[in-house]
Amino acid sequence: MNISTVNMNMTKSPGFRHNNPWADSPYNMPQKLLIAGTTALGVAGSMALLAKHKGYSLAPKKMLKNIKNSWWNKVEFDEIPVITIGAGSCLGGLAGGCIVDKDKENRKAKLRETLLQIANISIPIIFVVYAAKLGKNLGKKYLEKGSKETLRTKLPKAIFGIGGLFAGVFSANIVANKINEKIFNRGKGRPVQASDFSAHLDDFCVAAQQIHDGGLVHAISRLVPVALMVAGSEVGNTCTSNVDS
């Protein structure tokens, strides 16, 4: 259905949206559930492609029978899985949003949000992974041959991983503002705000995983695909009435 546009003269500075896409959505419950469904399908489809590429079976019976050795339990959520699943989430949300809303301006807003969200997912995770790897290499200088890692040898990896997250969020914000300014003519953008970090649960999980992938950290990092569904929900529920102009 067509959704009428309102608040067309809003003057807030553009940037990533980190509000509540479900609460701020102008759509009714069946429409929001459809967007959630297509977002989930996008995430599930991207995970299936990743698992198949690594040689894992997609037969539900086999996956449930030996879930400890499934792709989902074995995968390290580094840059390739996170970017792939994030893109699947965004494209799924875009598909659902376009199904429920045929207004051209609203669809344009959803496409804009798709590009912003993919940048917001991709840039920080790349910084986190490669900064942590750099820190790990530095830590090896303190590691004697045949000895186990200690707090001293893990510290550079931890510091670099967390630093990479902050650098990635700042860089993603710069890219987002450039996309808004150069492609969508949306103004000069805004600086990074504290709320920008609230949307990076997946990056915090990956940063922790880069430092120590075991026990509780491993269990929490299995929730990365769920965290990435937020991006698809934001894309699908975006329209001209709830984004900056």
Side-chain angles (χ1 to χ4, degrees), residues 43-225:
V43 169
S46 60
M47 291 174 67
L49 288 174
L50 289 166
K52 190 67 176 179
H53 179 70
K54 291 294 184 179
Y56 286 86
S57 173
L58 298 181
K61 186 176 181 180
K62 289 185 178 180
M63 289 189 293
L64 294 174
K65 185 177 180 180
N66 193 16
I67 196 167
K68 287 185 177 181
N69 291 316
S70 66
W71 175 86
W72 173 74
N73 191 54
K74 292 287 188 179
V75 65
E76 179 181 347
F77 285 107
D78 53 22
E79 71 278 17
I80 294 177
V82 169
I83 293 172
T84 302
I85 296 170
S89 173
C90 292
L91 292 176
L94 177 63
C98 288
I99 290 172
V100 304
D101 193 339
K102 294 179 173 56
D103 183 274
K104 290 183 179 180
E105 289 302 314
N106 287 340
R107 286 185 169 184
K108 182 179 178 180
K110 296 179 198 300
L111 179 59
R112 168 177 170 258
E113 188 70 19
T114 299
L115 295 177
L116 295 175
Q117 289 293 342
I118 289 176
N120 194 27
I121 291 168
S122 303
I123 296 171
I125 194 64
I126 290 172
F127 272 78
V128 167
V129 170
Y130 285 95
K133 288 180 178 179
L134 177 59
K136 182 179 180 180
N137 291 333
L138 290 175
K140 287 180 178 179
K141 294 181 179 180
Y142 300 103
L143 187 63
E144 296 180 3
K145 187 175 182 180
S147 61
K148 294 183 179 180
E149 280 193 312
T150 63
L151 178 61
R152 185 185 180 189
T153 60
K154 288 182 179 180
L155 192 58
K157 188 176 181 181
I159 293 173
F160 274 68
I162 295 171
L165 173 59
F166 280 85
V169 171
F170 275 88
S171 298
N173 184 270
I174 292 171
V175 172
N177 287 328
K178 288 298 181 182
I179 290 174
N180 276 321
E181 183 180 354
K182 301 299 182 181
I183 299 179
F184 296 102
N185 299 316
R186 293 277 174 159
K188 297 181 180 180
R190 64 165 176 80
V192 172
Q193 300 172 357
S195 61
D196 293 333
F197 293 91
S198 66
H200 290 276
L201 175 61
D202 55 312
D203 294 315
F204 281 108
C205 288
V206 174
Q209 181 184 258
Q210 291 295 316
I211 297 165
H212 176 68
D213 186 17
L216 183 60
V217 172
H218 177 82
I220 294 175
S221 67
R222 301 308 96 186
L223 299 177
V224 165

